[in-house]
Amino acid sequence: MSTSPRGPNAPFHHGDLRQALVEATTGLIERDGPASVSLREAARITGVSHNAPYRHFPTREALLAAVAENGFRRLRAAFEEAAAAPDDRLLALGQAYVRFASANPGLFRLMFGGDVGKDAHPDLRRAAGEAFALLREAGAQGGSDAPREAALGAWALVHGLAHLVVDDQLSDDLREDAADGRLLERIVQVFGPRTAGVRRRP
C-alpha cells in the first residue's frame, strides 16, 4: 500500500475532505492560533488545490465554526467518559473540562472566544448545547436546591481555572496538577463541602 502524501490533485472519498480540513485547521490553530487560519492555508496543509475547501466551507468563518463544533463534540465525549464516575460526578466533569483545555489550548480559545458567533451557526450552537447539557444534568443530580445555579457555578469555577492554564498563568507544578485533575479537587476541598455545587469527597 502506498504511503506517499496526498498531492493537490489526489481524489478524496465522500466526506474525507471536509474532515481532513477540520483536522488540519485544528492543528494549525494549536500551533499558531485562530488568526493564522485561512482556507488557502488549510488547503495547503491538507494537500489539495486552493479552491477545494470551498466545496465544504464558503468562508473562513464557516471553517472555524466547523472546527469549534468538532471541539464541542470532543468535549461532550470527554464529559460522557467522566460521567461514568460512581460519585462526585460534577467534580469528574469539571476535571475533564480542565484536562480538555490543557490538552487543546488553541481549540479551547476558539470554542469560547469571539472568532465565531454561535447564533450564526446552528450546528455549532447545538453541539455546544449538547455538551453542556451533561453539566446541567450533573448539577441536577448533585442534590442542590438550585441545580441550574449549581451547574453555572461549577462551570464558572472550572472555566476560570481552564483559562489560567491555557493563558499560562500557573506555575509548572500547578499546571501539572490542573491537567490531571488534582488541583480542582484541592480547590473544592479548601472551600468546603460545596463549592459551586460540587460535592467534596468524604
Side-chain angles (χ1 to χ4, degrees), residues 14 21 34 67 83 86 97 100 112 143 150 154 166 175-176 193:
H14 179 70
L21 289 165
V67 173
Y97 190 94
F100 179 89
F112 295 101
V166 302
R175 184 182 178 90
E176 290 177 5

Side-chain angles (χ1 to χ4, degrees), residues 4-199:
S4 61
R6 283 192 181 98
N9 299 315
F12 277 84
H13 295 295
H14 179 70
D16 286 355
L17 177 55
R18 186 182 192 282
Q19 185 59 30
L21 289 165
V22 167
E23 292 174 1
T25 302
T26 301
L28 180 61
I29 288 170
E30 290 299 343
R31 189 185 71 198
D32 298 325
S36 65
V37 173
S38 69
L39 289 168
R40 182 179 289 270
E41 182 63 8
R44 187 191 68 77
I45 295 173
T46 309
V48 297
S49 72
H50 67 272
N51 288 323
Y54 290 94
R55 301 173 197 166
H56 300 281
F57 305 109
T59 65
R60 172 182 179 274
E61 182 173 315
L63 174 58
L64 289 174
V67 173
E69 177 190 343
N70 189 58
F72 279 110
R73 298 201 184 285
R74 288 171 54 188
L75 179 59
R76 177 181 172 84
F79 280 166
E80 288 174 339
E81 182 177 354
D87 55 10
D88 290 324
R89 187 181 179 201
L90 198 54
L91 174 61
L93 265 64
Q95 291 170 323
Y97 190 94
V98 177
R99 282 195 298 268
F100 179 89
S102 300
N104 308 280
L107 180 59
F108 182 82
R109 289 190 184 97
L110 174 68
M111 291 162 61
F112 295 101
D115 292 273
V116 182
K118 293 182 179 65
D119 289 342
H121 300 280
D123 289 342
L124 169 57
R125 185 174 65 248
R126 185 179 306 111
E130 290 172 352
F132 284 98
L134 295 179
L135 192 60
R136 289 193 299 271
E137 290 169 9
Q141 295 170 3
S144 171
D145 294 332
R148 185 179 184 185
E149 287 74 11
L152 181 60
W155 181 28
L157 171 63
V158 298
H159 190 72
L161 179 57
H163 262 293
L164 288 174
V165 173
V166 302
D167 292 339
D168 199 22
Q169 296 299 306
L170 298 179
S171 61
D172 290 343
D173 60 324
L174 290 178
R175 184 182 178 90
E176 290 177 5
D177 286 354
D180 66 17
R182 288 177 295 179
L183 181 57
L184 180 60
E185 187 168 4
R186 294 207 304 269
I187 291 171
V188 171
Q189 291 171 346
V190 166
F191 282 96
R194 287 188 182 274
T195 299
V198 182
R199 287 188 293 181

